[in-house]
């Protein structure tokens, strides 16, 4: 399937573990100590893309640790950088798989969101893609939206 080839396989390569696509993510899905990280991208032509990663804090710290080969015990600027690097790697792989330039989407902003801000993002309409994944006993989600209003 497309989700498997564009997301699951690259994520498994990045994290070196088995990742299972479960289905559509809903705010009712429990993710222990969830953190919301929003990444906003733009193409040279002005197209916009938003990806929100919903991941438990411990999983987020482990992901950063895998990237840098060290342990993290709290979310800090280095962990934020790791999330951005992982997302950029995934974006480049997906673009290449779709026959697009790997650097077509450039990161413009990355930031953590509070629960209320995350809910407000999708209050009027759901994201185009809202995907839930399992890694062992833990879960994480990706909310992806291309149909964004023009930037102010």
């Amino acid at each position: 399937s497309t989700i498997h080839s564009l997301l699951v396989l690259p994520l498994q390569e990045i994290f070196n573990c088995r990742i299972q696509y479960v289905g559509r993510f809903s705010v009712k899905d429990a993710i222990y100590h969830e953190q919301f990280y929003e990444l906003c991208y733009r193409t040279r032509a002005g197209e916009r893309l938003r990806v929100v990663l919903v991941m438990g804090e411990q999983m987020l710290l482990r992901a950063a640790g895998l990237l840098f080969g060290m342990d993290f015990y709290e979310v800090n600027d280095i962990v934020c950088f790791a999330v951005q690097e992982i997302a950029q790697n995934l974006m480049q792989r997906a673009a290449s798989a779709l026959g697009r330039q790997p650097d077509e989407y450039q990161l413009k902003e990355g930031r953590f969101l509070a629960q209320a801000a995350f809910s407000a993002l999708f209050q009027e309409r759901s994201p185009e893609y809202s995907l839930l994944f399992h890694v062992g006993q833990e879960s994480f989600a990706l909310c992806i939206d291309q149909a964004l209003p023009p930037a102010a």
Side-chain angles (χ1 to χ4, degrees):
S1 80
T2 303
I3 292 171
H4 189 75
S5 60
L6 289 181
L7 296 171
V8 174
L9 289 177
L11 285 169
Q12 287 181 161
E13 287 178 21
I14 291 167
F15 294 124
N16 195 27
C17 67
R18 187 176 188 294
I19 295 174
Q20 179 184 6
Y21 169 64
V22 179
R24 189 160 177 77
F25 170 71
S26 160
V27 292
K28 296 175 185 169
D29 291 312
I31 296 179
Y32 188 65
H33 290 293
E34 60 195 2
Q35 303 285 308
F36 306 95
Y37 197 79
E38 177 186 44
L39 300 130
C40 295
Y41 296 88
R42 185 168 294 155
T43 66
R44 288 183 195 91
E47 295 175 45
R48 296 172 58 217
L49 175 74
R50 174 176 46 225
V51 177
V52 180
L53 172 67
V54 182
M55 183 179 273
E57 184 176 8
Q58 289 305 311
M59 183 182 275
L60 186 67
L61 295 173
R62 276 196 310 277
L66 281 172
L67 188 66
F68 289 111
M70 58 191 291
D71 293 333
F72 290 93
Y73 301 100
E74 64 184 7
V75 175
N76 58 29
D77 289 342
I78 298 171
V79 173
C80 294
F81 179 74
V83 171
Q84 292 174 5
E85 286 298 302
I86 291 165
Q88 190 64 31
N89 186 323
L90 193 58
M91 292 291 292
Q92 290 171 346
R93 290 170 185 241
S96 293
L98 294 170
R100 301 176 104 171
Q101 293 298 318
D103 62 347
E104 183 171 350
Y105 283 95
Q106 294 297 314
L107 180 65
K108 295 300 174 188
E109 180 183 24
R111 64 189 177 125
F112 278 99
L113 301 173
Q115 168 75 45
F118 172 75
S119 298
L121 275 180
F122 304 114
Q123 190 169 2
E124 291 183 21
R125 68 178 183 81
S126 296
E128 283 180 86
Y129 304 98
S130 197
L131 312 167
L132 180 65
F133 300 89
H134 283 311
V135 180
Q137 299 298 313
E138 297 178 279
S139 300
F140 71 93
L142 290 173
C143 300
I144 305 167
D145 215 349
Q146 290 179 305
L148 298 174

